Amino acid sequence: MDYLKCVQSFITATESGSFTAAADKLGITPAMVGKHIQMLENRTGCVLINRTTRRQGLTEAGHRFYLYGVQILATIEDADSLARHLNEQVTGMLRISAPVAFGQRILTPILSKFLQRYPAVNADLVLSDRRVDMIEERFQIAIRIGNLQDEGYVAVPLPPYEMVLAASPAYLAAHGTPLTPADLSRHNCVSFSQWRSAHRWQLQGPKGQIDVDIVPRLTVDSGEAIRQAGLSGLGVVMHSRVTLQDDIDTGRLHRVLPDYAPVSRPMHLLRLPIRPAATVVSSFFEYLLQELVPQPASPGGAAHIIG
């Protein structure tokens, strides 16, 4: 027995004056309206409607039940309306992880616009170049650069993270400019310790991908530290375009081997596989995708579970 449907049929029949009119409003048959009311009468043990061939009217019990029934349906409608309103509201706390350079230059402006749009949202943005554990460290959303491991997160591919080779004018004047990828093995190189191999750089050249073995003078786990090492003249650095582009544009760094671009690194937007996701999480997740992936996602770009 669907109690609420029975109450709704009774209330509608009472207000409409007939089973037929109630059936039209509810989109069911008059026989079903009668069945619902009969089920209510069986449940209560009272006759609620006096029915004759010409007219129908409420009994005393029916009149009392009608007053309570109206309150029941109104309360349910209020509860549904409140739930819809709360679900539509974007409110709450976001805890987000992102690499330092990407977070500073790309993510922070996007997050700032989102927070201005939704005043009831607060955010804790943690910038770190290390690979965080989203569950252990209570992150709801993360930007991950590099190959994904089997961690069970919901992951959406983002445009690849472009990389460049660069060195300071002072270093190139003192040590010469590498002319071929093989020359890098004889130069001071600064490498990122979080990569799968800090001693091998992958370059994409005119004839395809090549691997270059290097002996890093410095291995470090911070993109900003790599940038500073390059600016100080320590050696050739390989890092993201977003980190180094301003220095290249102003001449503080020079591109090295421009015909051999480092292989772009995969980048993903991650969230925990909680279903349904909190409204604030799903809203920011979709907002980020709109900002970072302006073109409609292809079938290959759909969200998928890693793990």
Side-chain angles (χ1 to χ4, degrees):
M1 173 184 180
D2 189 327
Y3 182 69
L4 293 179
K5 286 185 178 180
C6 293
V7 174
Q8 188 178 41
S9 290
F10 171 73
I11 298 298
T12 306
T14 299
E15 294 176 344
S16 301
S18 72
F19 288 9
T20 300
D24 289 340
K25 290 184 178 181
L26 297 174
I28 57 178
T29 64
M32 183 58 69
V33 173
K35 183 178 180 180
H36 284 164
I37 294 174
Q38 182 64 55
M39 293 172 71
L40 274 184
E41 291 179 330
N42 292 340
R43 177 187 174 100
T44 61
C46 300
V47 175
L48 301 177
I49 298 180
N50 286 319
R51 297 180 284 277
T52 67
T53 56
R54 294 187 177 182
R55 60 190 298 271
Q56 67 182 39
L58 294 179
T59 65
E60 179 64 23
H63 179 70
R64 290 176 178 272
F65 191 90
Y66 170 79
L67 296 178
Y68 283 109
V70 169
Q71 294 179 27
I72 290 171
L73 296 182
T75 301
I76 292 172
E77 177 58 32
D78 288 343
D80 287 345
S81 177
L82 176 62
R84 286 193 299 268
H85 179 65
L86 291 175
N87 189 53
E88 291 169 358
Q89 279 189 325
V90 181
T91 181
M93 184 73 183
L94 281 170
R95 182 165 165 81
I96 307 160
S97 167
V100 176
F102 182 89
Q104 290 174 336
R105 299 170 184 265
I106 305 297
L107 183 57
T108 297
I110 296 174
L111 177 59
S112 297
K113 289 193 296 182
F114 182 83
L115 295 177
Q116 291 174 42
R117 176 179 293 188
Y118 299 107
V121 176
N122 295 321
D124 180 13
L125 175 59
V126 179
L127 302 182
S128 174
D129 290 324
R130 66 180 178 84
R131 185 181 293 265
V132 302
D133 184 320
M134 292 182 65
I135 297 176
E136 183 70 22
E137 300 178 58
R138 299 179 294 105
F139 288 108
Q140 298 154 301
I141 290 177
I143 302 289
R144 181 68 55 80
I145 296 172
N147 295 321
L148 292 179
Q149 300 174 352
D150 294 339
E151 298 169 287
Y153 304 138
V154 175
V156 178
L158 297 175
Y161 203 52
E162 294 185 38
M163 312 291 289
V164 294
L165 291 173
S168 70
Y171 174 83
L172 296 176
H175 299 273
T177 300
L179 300 178
T180 69
D183 292 342
L184 291 173
S185 62
R186 298 187 291 273
H187 278 266
N188 296 339
C189 294
V190 181
S191 195
F192 189 51
S193 62
Q194 299 294 318
W195 293 338
R196 182 174 57 182
S197 175
H199 298 268
R200 176 171 293 176
W201 287 352
Q202 294 181 328
L203 306 179
Q204 188 70 35
K207 296 183 179 180
Q209 182 175 312
I210 58 175
D211 293 343
V212 180
D213 291 324
I214 62 169
V215 180
R217 286 294 308 280
L218 174 65
T219 302
V220 65
D221 66 353
S222 163
E224 179 59 25
I226 290 175
R227 171 178 174 265
Q228 291 297 333
L231 291 172
S232 68
L234 178 61
V236 178
V237 301
M238 181 171 77
H239 209 65
S240 66
R241 181 183 294 275
V242 70
T243 301
L244 304 181
Q245 191 60 55
D246 287 348
D247 297 314
I248 293 172
D249 291 342
T250 57
R252 294 189 293 267
L253 293 175
H254 288 175
R255 287 284 301 274
V256 172
L257 297 173
D259 293 333
Y260 293 87
V263 174
S264 297
R265 303 188 66 77
M267 183 164 62
H268 290 82
L269 176 60
L270 308 180
R271 69 170 174 83
L272 297 178
I274 298 173
R275 293 187 176 132
T279 302
V280 64
V281 174
S282 59
S283 297
F284 185 59
F285 197 85
E286 294 301 323
Y287 187 84
L288 266 180
L289 287 178
Q290 293 175 11
E291 292 290 323
L292 299 176
V293 188
Q295 298 300 319
S298 63
H304 54 284
I305 296 288
I306 299 300

